[in-house]
């Protein structure tokens, strides 16, 4: 089991373990050793060099310098992209002469937190077994009396420029006359997103584009849509776009003020791709990949266009794995983390925004057929885990709910992977029915495991 790497890199409070100077230096050294060991398998144009990017947290520069110091200690160079998005680092790592990429970010977390994400030259996150090997080297280094040092870093502005050039090249038309409100969460997209949309001709009204090191995600961005929504309504613009701190996801607000989440994005972009014959087929049917949390309304709206919905466990990692397995070009999560595999290797908020704008600016019309079914999620604390098949009363309540809903609802009961919790999700035709069945299933879990 990995102890440092989670589902999205190494996370923690900046300055504290595992993001203290000694450990971040060891992370860089361990990554550098891994790069050196895999050099023989690398393409001929890839050298002993790692690209490092960061979001706007005040702790970012020091962590980047410590990681770069660790890389330098084992003879691996670091090139610094400065403030750039996570998908920007993935793009540069994949398309530049880099053995790997490192992103210093804690995504949607508050500024006190930070993280280190490692991306392979392929543009994908490292497989679990490679992260485990790097972890073992980190712990081995920490048992030694290593003296961490920092490496001096100067921003190479050509790196994020190449990424913005790429994004612009994926958009076939122009945005002349289109008016946008863009909320960058005072994060990694604060300078890049307005530049991209203005280059394509849009008029951009900025929200959350003044980072000071401590205001990232603070009452703004994709987790806090109120400020952007008010500006969209006040200014009467075509639509609003909100990113999270590292801009790997985007949510939208329509001209009328309607919130457009990841499910709605999957619908409107899925239909657009299907109309151009761009959705890959699985078992004879074009498909979109989403998680078990995507609303039943998305499944039904896609089905009306002859498009199937493939569900995976929660997590963009599982979505991507299924997309690769099926050759599917489109997948994502309700949170706005959407992957367009024809263009990128990871969720990319700015790329998602371009694909949405490509489909059109009238988001009310484009999502009109998406009927959102009431959905309720509750967590029940448990003292132990047992296979659900052994929980007679719980299964009885689940079957009762499924019989009541027929094909107009869904029930999902699963255990948390990190906490002593059972998660109960119920979706159905009315909020009253949903709440009644959630309560009954939760009570049954408490009775048998609480």
């Amino acid at each position: 089991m990995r102890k440092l790497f989670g589902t999205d890199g190494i996370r923690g409070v900046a300055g504290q373990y595992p993001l203290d100077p000694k450990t971040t230096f060891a992370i860089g050294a361990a990554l550098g050793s891994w790069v050196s060991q895999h050099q023989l398998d690398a393409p001929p144009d890839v050298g002993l060099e790692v690209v490092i990017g960061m979001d706007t947290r005040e702790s970012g520069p020091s962590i980047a310098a410590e990681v770069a110091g660790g890389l330098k200690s084992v003879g691996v160079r670091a090139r610094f992209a400065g403030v750039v998005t996570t998908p920007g680092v993935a793009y540069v790592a994949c398309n530049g002469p880099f053995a790997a990429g490192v992103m210093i970010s804690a995504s949607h977390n508050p500024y006190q937190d930070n993280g280190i994400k490692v991306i392979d030259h392929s543009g994908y996150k490292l497989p679990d077994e490679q992260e485990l090997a790097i972890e073992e080297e980190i712990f081995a280094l920490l048992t030694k009396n290593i003296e961490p040092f920092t490496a001096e870093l100067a921003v190479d502005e050509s790196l994020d420029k190449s990424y913005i050039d790429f994004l612009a090249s994926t958009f076939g038309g122009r945005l002349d006359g289109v008016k946008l409100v863009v909320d960058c969460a005072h994060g990694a997209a604060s300078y890049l997103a307005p530049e991209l949309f203005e280059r394509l001709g849009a008029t951009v009204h900025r929200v959350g584009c003044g980072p000071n090191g401590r205001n990232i995600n603070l009452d703004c961005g994709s987790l806090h849509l109120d400020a952007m929504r008010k500006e969209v309504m006040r200014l009467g613009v075509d639509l609003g776009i909100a990113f999270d701190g590292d801009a790997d996801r985007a949510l939208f607000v329509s001209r009328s003020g309607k919130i457009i989440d990841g499910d709605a994005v999957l619908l409107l972009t899925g239909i657009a791709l299907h109309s151009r014959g761009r959705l890959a087929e699985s078992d004879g049917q074009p498909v979109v990949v989403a998680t078990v949390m995507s609303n039943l309304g998305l499944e039904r709206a896609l089905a009306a266009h002859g498009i199937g919905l493939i569900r995976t466990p929660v997590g963009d990692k599982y979505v991507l794995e299924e997309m690769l397995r099926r050759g599917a070009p489109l997948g994502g999560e309700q949170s706005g983390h959407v992957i367009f595999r024809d263009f990128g290797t990871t969720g990319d908020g700015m790329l998602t925004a371009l694909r949405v704008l490509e489909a059109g600016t009238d988001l009310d019309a484009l999502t009109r057929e998406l009927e959102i079914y009431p959905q309720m999620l509750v967590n029940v604390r448990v003292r132990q885990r047992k296979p659900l098949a052994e929980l007679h009363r719980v299964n009885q309540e689940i079957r009762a709910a499924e019989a009541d809903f027929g094909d107009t609802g869904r029930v999902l009961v699963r255990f948390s992977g990190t906490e002593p919790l059972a998660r109960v999700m119920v979706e159905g035709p009315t909020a009253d029915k949903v709440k009644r069945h959630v309560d009954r299933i939760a009570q049954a879990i408490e009775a048998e495991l609480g």
Side-chain angles (χ1 to χ4, degrees), residues 263-283:
D263 280 355
V265 169
L266 288 174
L267 175 66
L268 70 92
T269 57
I271 291 172
L273 284 171
H274 185 42
S275 69
R276 300 198 298 271
R278 296 281 300 278
L279 278 188
E281 292 193 357
S282 179
D283 299 325

Side-chain angles (χ1 to χ4, degrees), residues 39-215:
Q39 180 63 20
L40 293 177
D41 299 325
D45 59 338
V46 172
L48 288 174
E49 191 170 23
V50 171
V51 60
I52 300 177
M54 66 180 186
D55 65 22
T56 55
R57 295 162 210 272
E58 64 179 10
S59 59
S62 60
I63 294 175
E66 290 154 9
V67 171
L71 290 166
K72 185 177 181 180
S73 72
V74 293
V76 176
R77 298 181 300 277
R79 206 180 319 174
F80 191 38
V83 173
V84 68
T85 67
T86 292
V89 169
Y91 172 80
V92 172
C94 185
N95 292 278
F98 302 105
V102 171
M103 180 65 183
I104 312 297
S105 175
S107 188
H108 55 273
N109 287 23
Y111 85 92
Q112 298 94 334
D113 296 338
N114 217 323
I116 298 174
K117 304 181 187 182
V118 180
I119 299 165
D120 193 4
H121 173 72
S122 65
Y124 296 109
K125 297 173 186 175
L126 296 183
D128 291 353
E129 62 271 15
Q130 293 185 3
E131 289 183 343
L132 183 58
I134 291 174
E135 271 195 12
E136 290 172 350
E137 178 66 14
I138 293 168
F139 292 131
L141 288 168
L142 291 175
T143 61
K144 302 175 182 177
N145 191 25
I146 59 171
E147 289 293 335
F149 61 86
T150 60
E152 188 173 336
L153 294 173
V155 176
D156 183 342
E157 295 182 355
S158 70
L159 298 175
D160 61 13
K161 181 180 183 301
S162 69
Y163 169 58
I164 294 301
D165 289 345
F166 161 71
L167 289 178
S169 75
T170 72
F171 193 79
R174 295 278 301 169
L175 294 174
D176 300 314
V178 175
K179 297 179 181 179
L180 306 172
V181 171
V182 178
D183 183 347
C184 295
H186 299 304
S190 293
Y191 312 110
L192 301 179
E195 176 190 334
L196 172 65
F197 300 131
E198 287 174 346
R199 181 194 294 195
L200 293 171
T203 299
V204 176
H205 300 272
R206 292 166 170 79
V207 174
C209 293
N212 63 16
R214 295 191 169 197
N215 59 358

